[in-house]
Amino acid sequence: MSALSSPVTRRSILATAAAASAAGLVPAAFAATNDSASIKPFHFSATDKELKDLHQRVVATRWPDKETVKDHTQGVQLATIKKLADYWAKNYDWRKVEARLNALPQFVTEIDGVEIHFIHVKSKQENALPIIITHGWPGSIIEQMKIIAPLTDPTAHGGTASDAFHVVVPSIPGYGFSGKPTEPGWNPPRIAKAWAVLMDRLGYTQYVAQGGDWGNAISELMAVQQPPGLLGIHTNMAATVPADIAKALASGAPAPADLSPDEKHAYEQLDDFYKNGLGYAIEMNNRPQTLYGIVDSPIGLAAWMLDHDIRSYDMIARVFDGKPEGLTRDDILDNVTLYWLTNTAISSARLYWDNAHFPSGGFFDPRGIKIPVAVSAFPDEIYQAPQSWAEKAYPKLIHYNRPQKGGHFAAWEQPTVFTEELRESFRSLRT
């Protein structure tokens, strides 16, 4: 079956050989097949009609009144979103990123009744380490595009041959070019099982996993499930918050007096996020199907996606003010436009509902991972995980670093730093 049912043009070209069965790794529903057509190359091309319709909708936006405050406390500011709309209508070209995407080897394969899309770039280095890298919300495979070449071809990007990776970047079900689940229950543990099937189907007997945001939850749950072959994981949004700290945060109490400076900073970041930054998650946890407005209005979609966390929003606002940052205006609109063309605003939001109704633990609660874990704690993440918390959460912590710059979309914003973090993180696991 095909679940690629959005109003966009999608073509699968010539079938290639599939890999071995995943039988015995996970329940039968996830079993890989030996059918030579189980993995198919994928190509995407939006129609001119779709791009014209997008342009017309941006131009025809009905604007609200300006916010009544001088800051972002009421949400995405009118001046910022109008600058985004102006650039989207007059200067943005989707075809540029589409060409870059289609220059990468992309594939689809059905797992547990859903067609999974993924980028798969193999290194020329014989002893490259396979890695599966997972995005989050409001991200997509667009986040990882800048790190693929440095990871697969390290000698051309400041590394050595021994730093090479074979890179797999899947689209989460309901996101991007992956199929949209037609039943509830596609929560992080289920996706984690599907990723293990995918790596097995590709023939990888030893590999590592990486993720941030939902990608962290999925990668950590892979680590909990311990599929054969998973050597370790790397996270840029670690789940390390101790139970007593989580309880204090839930009560709205000030930071406990005995916290170290790093722990107090993390507490204050989390406290701010819980008080001011969870509006989008509350709605998607409870009523994702109600979000028809962001399916019908591209500007509504863009504003919804920009209002994820305040430090990312502030950075994006600076970008549209013309200031240099890790992201460009094109970067930001590449991601928003992908959501628009694939009509995945609501299907992606359902992941929050599925996680709430089929819970797998708190987002930042330690999960009892027993395999090696590496942590990169970027300063402008939702919270910068302290080393003391990381050491307690991950008994086999093999790498911890606090880069000087970067936020929630670290691979996208700081690809050079992020690449080096992955190289350093997994050196001890290479054979």
Side-chain angles (χ1 to χ4, degrees):
M1 64 174 281
S2 173
L4 293 172
S5 55
S6 71
V8 294
T9 302
R10 300 174 185 193
R11 292 188 292 117
S12 290
I13 321 166
L14 299 176
T16 60
S21 169
L25 288 180
V26 291
F30 289 91
T33 73
N34 288 317
D35 182 356
S36 63
S38 65
I39 298 177
K40 300 177 181 179
F42 176 86
H43 175 93
F44 173 82
S45 180
T47 67
D48 290 340
K49 181 179 179 180
E50 288 160 352
L51 295 176
K52 182 178 180 181
D53 174 69
L54 170 58
H55 179 267
Q56 289 173 339
R57 288 171 183 260
V58 171
V59 171
T61 300
R62 186 170 76 158
W63 296 103
D65 298 332
K66 183 179 182 296
E67 60 275 5
T68 58
V69 293
K70 294 182 179 180
D71 57 22
H72 50 56
T73 54
Q74 291 184 350
V76 175
Q77 293 156 287
L78 186 63
T80 296
I81 202 68
K82 279 193 168 183
K83 290 172 186 174
L84 180 150
D86 186 67
Y87 188 84
W88 209 355
K90 296 176 182 177
N91 302 103
Y92 178 72
D93 183 0
W94 164 259
R95 297 298 186 196
K96 291 181 179 179
V97 70
E98 185 178 87
R100 295 200 305 276
L101 278 167
N102 287 331
L104 294 168
Q106 298 178 79
F107 304 88
V108 291
T109 189
E110 186 178 306
I111 301 175
D112 194 22
V114 173
E115 204 154 40
I116 302 298
H117 163 269
F118 61 99
I119 297 168
H120 183 202
V121 183
K122 298 198 72 173
S123 175
K124 294 179 181 179
Q125 301 298 332
E126 183 178 350
N127 295 320
L129 178 64
I131 184 170
I132 183 166
I133 305 176
T134 310
H135 65 82
W137 188 94
S140 68
I141 57 169
I142 298 293
E143 286 184 66
Q144 282 79 35
M145 289 178 66
K146 296 176 185 177
I147 63 173
I148 292 173
L151 291 176
T152 56
D153 188 11
T155 58
H157 297 85
T160 65
S162 61
D163 291 323
F165 292 86
H166 299 309
V167 175
V168 179
V169 184
S171 298
I172 294 173
Y175 288 68
F177 303 126
S178 277
K180 300 173 183 178
T182 56
E183 62 179 10
W186 272 94
N187 62 352
R190 189 170 179 178
I191 298 168
K193 292 176 182 178
W195 277 195
V197 170
L198 175 60
M199 295 303 278
D200 181 80
R201 192 172 294 183
L202 293 172
Y204 292 131
T205 58
Q206 290 191 321
Y207 60 92
V208 294
Q210 195 287 324
D213 195 85
W214 285 118
N216 171 67
I218 293 163
S219 299
E220 289 205 2
L221 285 160
M222 289 181 74
V224 171
Q225 293 165 5
Q226 295 188 59
L230 181 62
L231 301 175
I233 68 169
H234 171 273
T235 173
N236 55 287
M237 199 182 80
T240 69
V241 179
D244 60 326
I245 298 299
K247 184 177 180 179
L249 284 163
S251 72
D258 60 347
L259 298 185
S260 71
D262 286 349
E263 292 168 345
K264 183 179 179 182
H265 176 60
Y267 189 98
E268 290 170 347
Q269 286 180 311
L270 284 164
D271 188 50
D272 180 59
F273 180 68
Y274 288 148
K275 288 178 179 176
N276 303 306
L278 276 176
Y280 72 92
I282 292 169
E283 180 66 16
M284 294 195 291
N285 276 346
N286 290 283
R287 310 286 285 181
Q289 195 65 29
T290 299
L291 296 169
Y292 296 99
I294 65 175
V295 175
D296 190 57
S297 166
I299 293 302
L301 174 64
W304 187 257
M305 293 171 68
L306 262 58
D307 201 15
H308 175 268
D309 68 278
I310 196 57
R311 284 177 289 280
S312 293
Y313 168 72
D314 283 343
M315 176 195 64
I316 291 169
R318 293 193 297 270
V319 169
F320 283 100
D321 283 338
K323 297 176 182 178
E325 291 284 349
L327 300 182
T328 67
R329 291 174 292 187
D330 283 343
D331 285 334
I332 295 157
L333 287 170
D334 288 344
N335 189 51
V336 179
T337 305
L338 177 64
Y339 272 74
W340 177 263
L341 291 173
T342 55
N343 192 18
T344 48
I346 283 179
S347 60
S348 63
R350 290 193 193 111
L351 178 55
Y352 286 79
W353 189 95
D354 277 320
N355 188 63
H357 288 76
F358 302 88
S360 57
F363 214 77
F364 298 122
D365 294 343
R367 294 182 169 93
I369 295 172
K370 298 177 181 178
I371 69 172
V373 179
V375 174
S376 298
F378 286 86
D380 290 326
E381 182 52 270
I382 290 174
Y383 85 107
Q384 189 174 27
Q387 185 169 355
S388 56
W389 293 359
E391 289 171 346
K392 293 176 183 176
Y394 309 120
K396 293 187 178 179
L397 185 67
I398 55 172
H399 172 80
Y400 177 89
N401 190 36
R402 297 166 71 89
Q404 294 299 305
K405 190 172 177 62
H408 188 70
F409 305 99
W412 201 19
E413 300 168 37
Q414 302 295 328
T416 300
V417 174
F418 194 89
T419 297
E420 185 51 43
E421 283 294 292
L422 291 191
R423 291 171 181 170
E424 182 64 29
S425 292
F426 293 123
R427 282 188 177 123
S428 65
L429 300 184
R430 292 179 183 269
T431 56

mmCIF file of all heavy atoms in Angstrom, residues 20 34 83 126 143 204 247 264 266 271 280 337:
data_model
loop_
_atom_site.group_PDB
_atom_site.id
_atom_site.type_symbol
_atom_site.label_atom_id
_atom_site.label_comp_id
_atom_site.label_asym_id
_atom_site.label_seq_id
_atom_site.Cartn_x
_atom_site.Cartn_y
_atom_site.Cartn_z
ATOM 1 N N ALA A 20 18.157 -7.703 4.238
ATOM 2 C CA ALA A 20 17.695 -8.889 4.949
ATOM 3 C C ALA A 20 16.484 -8.612 5.817
ATOM 4 O O ALA A 20 16.174 -7.478 6.136
ATOM 5 C CB ALA A 20 18.831 -9.408 5.827
ATOM 6 N N ASN A 34 11.758 -9.773 2.105
ATOM 7 C CA ASN A 34 12.860 -10.066 1.199
ATOM 8 C C ASN A 34 12.496 -9.711 -0.241
ATOM 9 O O ASN A 34 13.216 -10.055 -1.166
ATOM 10 C CB ASN A 34 13.230 -11.549 1.298
ATOM 11 C CG ASN A 34 13.928 -11.858 2.619
ATOM 12 O OD1 ASN A 34 14.786 -11.103 3.046
ATOM 13 N ND2 ASN A 34 13.541 -12.943 3.270
ATOM 14 N N LYS A 83 7.633 40.436 7.099
ATOM 15 C CA LYS A 83 8.917 40.349 6.387
ATOM 16 C C LYS A 83 9.094 38.967 5.778
ATOM 17 O O LYS A 83 9.586 38.829 4.647
ATOM 18 C CB LYS A 83 10.067 40.677 7.338
ATOM 19 C CG LYS A 83 10.136 42.139 7.746
ATOM 20 C CD LYS A 83 11.176 42.349 8.844
ATOM 21 C CE LYS A 83 11.142 43.790 9.344
ATOM 22 N NZ LYS A 83 12.053 44.000 10.507
ATOM 23 N N GLU A 126 35.583 2.587 3.372
ATOM 24 C CA GLU A 126 35.173 1.209 3.604
ATOM 25 C C GLU A 126 34.694 0.963 5.029
ATOM 26 O O GLU A 126 33.742 0.212 5.265
ATOM 27 C CB GLU A 126 36.341 0.268 3.278
ATOM 28 C CG GLU A 126 36.014 -1.201 3.415
ATOM 29 C CD GLU A 126 37.184 -2.095 3.037
ATOM 30 O OE1 GLU A 126 38.176 -1.566 2.488
ATOM 31 O OE2 GLU A 126 37.102 -3.306 3.296
ATOM 32 N N GLU A 143 16.587 19.875 8.008
ATOM 33 C CA GLU A 143 17.539 20.166 9.095
ATOM 34 C C GLU A 143 18.893 19.501 8.894
ATOM 35 O O GLU A 143 19.924 20.044 9.301
ATOM 36 C CB GLU A 143 16.982 19.656 10.427
ATOM 37 C CG GLU A 143 15.877 20.433 11.054
ATOM 38 C CD GLU A 143 15.530 19.835 12.415
ATOM 39 O OE1 GLU A 143 16.379 19.897 13.325
ATOM 40 O OE2 GLU A 143 14.426 19.287 12.569
ATOM 41 N N TYR A 204 22.621 -3.064 7.754
ATOM 42 C CA TYR A 204 23.572 -2.590 8.753
ATOM 43 C C TYR A 204 23.470 -3.439 10.025
ATOM 44 O O TYR A 204 22.436 -3.443 10.699
ATOM 45 C CB TYR A 204 23.328 -1.125 9.078
ATOM 46 C CG TYR A 204 23.662 -0.200 7.926
ATOM 47 C CD1 TYR A 204 22.756 0.779 7.505
ATOM 48 C CD2 TYR A 204 24.882 -0.306 7.249
ATOM 49 C CE1 TYR A 204 23.069 1.634 6.450
ATOM 50 C CE2 TYR A 204 25.194 0.537 6.191
ATOM 51 C CZ TYR A 204 24.287 1.508 5.800
ATOM 52 O OH TYR A 204 24.599 2.344 4.747
ATOM 53 N N LYS A 247 9.626 17.708 39.662
ATOM 54 C CA LYS A 247 8.540 17.990 40.598
ATOM 55 C C LYS A 247 8.516 19.467 40.982
ATOM 56 O O LYS A 247 7.450 20.096 41.040
ATOM 57 C CB LYS A 247 8.700 17.122 41.846
ATOM 58 C CG LYS A 247 7.580 17.267 42.855
ATOM 59 C CD LYS A 247 7.773 16.316 44.044
ATOM 60 C CE LYS A 247 6.643 16.475 45.058
ATOM 61 N NZ LYS A 247 6.812 15.544 46.217
ATOM 62 N N LYS A 264 21.205 25.563 37.861
ATOM 63 C CA LYS A 264 20.260 26.670 38.040
ATOM 64 C C LYS A 264 19.885 27.282 36.692
ATOM 65 O O LYS A 264 18.711 27.604 36.441
ATOM 66 C CB LYS A 264 20.865 27.737 38.955
ATOM 67 C CG LYS A 264 19.902 28.882 39.252
ATOM 68 C CD LYS A 264 20.511 29.917 40.190
ATOM 69 C CE LYS A 264 19.539 31.055 40.456
ATOM 70 N NZ LYS A 264 20.131 32.101 41.339
ATOM 71 N N ALA A 266 19.838 25.744 33.786
ATOM 72 C CA ALA A 266 18.939 24.806 33.125
ATOM 73 C C ALA A 266 17.536 24.886 33.717
ATOM 74 O O ALA A 266 16.531 24.857 32.995
ATOM 75 C CB ALA A 266 19.486 23.384 33.250
ATOM 76 N N ASP A 271 11.891 26.395 33.313
ATOM 77 C CA ASP A 271 10.784 27.104 33.953
ATOM 78 C C ASP A 271 10.164 28.103 32.983
ATOM 79 O O ASP A 271 8.936 28.200 32.866
ATOM 80 C CB ASP A 271 11.291 27.803 35.209
ATOM 81 C CG ASP A 271 10.164 28.410 36.029
ATOM 82 O OD1 ASP A 271 9.189 27.700 36.314
ATOM 83 O OD2 ASP A 271 10.259 29.598 36.383
ATOM 84 N N TYR A 280 1.817 25.686 21.701
ATOM 85 C CA TYR A 280 1.671 24.832 20.521
ATOM 86 C C TYR A 280 1.538 23.365 20.924
ATOM 87 O O TYR A 280 0.726 22.607 20.361
ATOM 88 C CB TYR A 280 2.871 25.019 19.582
ATOM 89 C CG TYR A 280 4.154 24.414 20.100
ATOM 90 C CD1 TYR A 280 4.525 23.119 19.778
ATOM 91 C CD2 TYR A 280 4.978 25.124 20.980
ATOM 92 C CE1 TYR A 280 5.682 22.552 20.292
ATOM 93 C CE2 TYR A 280 6.130 24.558 21.493
ATOM 94 C CZ TYR A 280 6.474 23.277 21.151
ATOM 95 O OH TYR A 280 7.602 22.703 21.674
ATOM 96 N N THR A 337 7.989 25.485 3.544
ATOM 97 C CA THR A 337 7.410 25.127 2.250
ATOM 98 C C THR A 337 7.276 23.621 2.100
ATOM 99 O O THR A 337 6.306 23.127 1.499
ATOM 100 C CB THR A 337 8.251 25.719 1.108
ATOM 101 O OG1 THR A 337 8.387 27.137 1.294
ATOM 102 C CG2 THR A 337 7.590 25.476 -0.250
#
